[in-house]
Amino acid sequence: MTELMQADHVPLLFAAAALFCVTVYVLADGLDLGVGILFLAAPRDQDRDVMMASIEPVWDGNETWLVMGGTLLFAAFPAGYYVLLPAFYLPIMFMLFALIFRGVAFGFRLQATRFRPVWDAAFFAGSLLATFCQGLILGGLIEGVPVENGMFAGSAFSFLSVLGVLCGIGLVGGYALIGAGWLIWKAEGPTQVFGREIARAALILTAAMMLLVSLWSAWSVPEVAARWFALPNLFWLAPVPLITVAVIAGIWWAIWNGREAQTFVLSLVLFALGLFGLVVSLWPYVVPRQVTVWDGLSDPRSLAFLGVGVMVIIPVVLAYQAHAYWIFRGKVQHEGGHGGYG
């Protein structure tokens, strides 16, 4: 097993596993973070009951992928971990505290009566802060982090940038779009109408920020511009923005005219296209333009131990989540003062 971990394709396998975990996290946890972002915009308390009930069976399982992605980065690419963690220490800590805070709000809101508005605001604030922090991290990755002698050479606030703020706003809009699509699919009556009404505003914000982030990245990071616009890459990558525009148009139409699940599915496709663009811009680096997946790989014994765990844990978590989504596949209804699956 140790000898197999020394092959040239091993970094690609572990990079693909880490990318898979991050992708599933963004797509899965994006829906419940999006519902949280939309929480205070809902016009009625009954709508908020239904919104929370729609994600109750799946929200904690979705966050499993964040833990798995971080574990893979630490175990498989330690060089990337010890550079990136101090670079993004503050947004990572604020994100984790926000996720914990919204989890507490999730549990307390169901039992609260007098202080329910307080927990509503806490659930919204935790969702918004966690999402924005993820955007700050994303913007920092695209711009790159200062490295000297293999170590992070910046300050605690080096992550702050215009690109990070743009990515944070874009993620807020994107998660809100996924959350609205989820409500269109899973809710009925006034709550579904609310999802349809707010989905177009979220789509406009998402599309605008995707355009701004793309332009700012190409202008401020020459390596990103060269990756996309140098020949022959330009010919190979030109369909990506065209497909993105087509998906945005499809979402705009589907919000009021398509099948109930169509807005949600197309929103996931839009996010997948954004992640593809990120991979194109950053590959093959763990630390952008500093450490590649080959340079930052862990030792063969650690990889052998990690590989066994990955082969066991990923299928188990996928099976659990598929089962949860299948069991709670119906519509959410508001009955007896709280939301639940009919």
Side-chain angles (χ1 to χ4, degrees), residues 3-22:
E3 290 75 10
L4 289 175
M5 293 297 108
Q6 296 175 332
D8 290 339
H9 65 275
V10 170
L12 302 180
L13 294 178
F14 281 100
L19 179 61
F20 176 78
C21 291
V22 171

Side-chain angles (χ1 to χ4, degrees), residues 171-236:
L171 269 185
V172 168
Y175 283 173
L177 177 61
I178 295 178
W182 178 257
L183 294 179
I184 294 171
W185 184 19
K186 304 297 288 185
E188 295 178 316
T191 309
Q192 186 187 71
V193 173
F194 163 71
R196 294 184 189 275
E197 289 175 341
I198 206 164
R200 283 193 169 175
L203 178 60
I204 292 171
L205 177 60
T206 303
M209 299 315 299
M210 289 183 75
L211 178 61
L212 281 175
V213 167
S214 300
L215 294 176
W216 192 274
S217 300
W219 177 76
S220 62
V221 187
E223 295 86 354
V224 173
R227 180 65 60 88
W228 281 89
F229 298 113
L231 296 177
N233 292 1
L234 178 62
F235 298 117
W236 291 108

Side-chain angles (χ1 to χ4, degrees), residues 42-53:
R44 305 180 307 154
D45 194 53
Q46 293 91 330
D47 296 320
R48 289 185 283 275
D49 290 338
V50 171
M51 292 166 70
M52 189 160 278

Side-chain angles (χ1 to χ4, degrees), residues 74-96:
F74 170 73
F77 304 103
Y81 188 85
Y82 68 67
V83 172
L84 295 178
L85 183 62
F88 301 112
Y89 186 79
L90 286 179
I92 289 174
M93 293 305 298
F94 277 112
M95 178 189 70
L96 294 178

Side-chain angles (χ1 to χ4, degrees), residues 13 32 58 69 72 76 137 145-146 165 177 195 207 220 234 279 288 320 324 326:
L13 294 178
D32 61 74
V58 297
L72 273 171
I137 296 169
V145 297
V165 173
L177 177 61
S220 62
L234 178 62
V279 172
Y320 159 76
W326 175 255

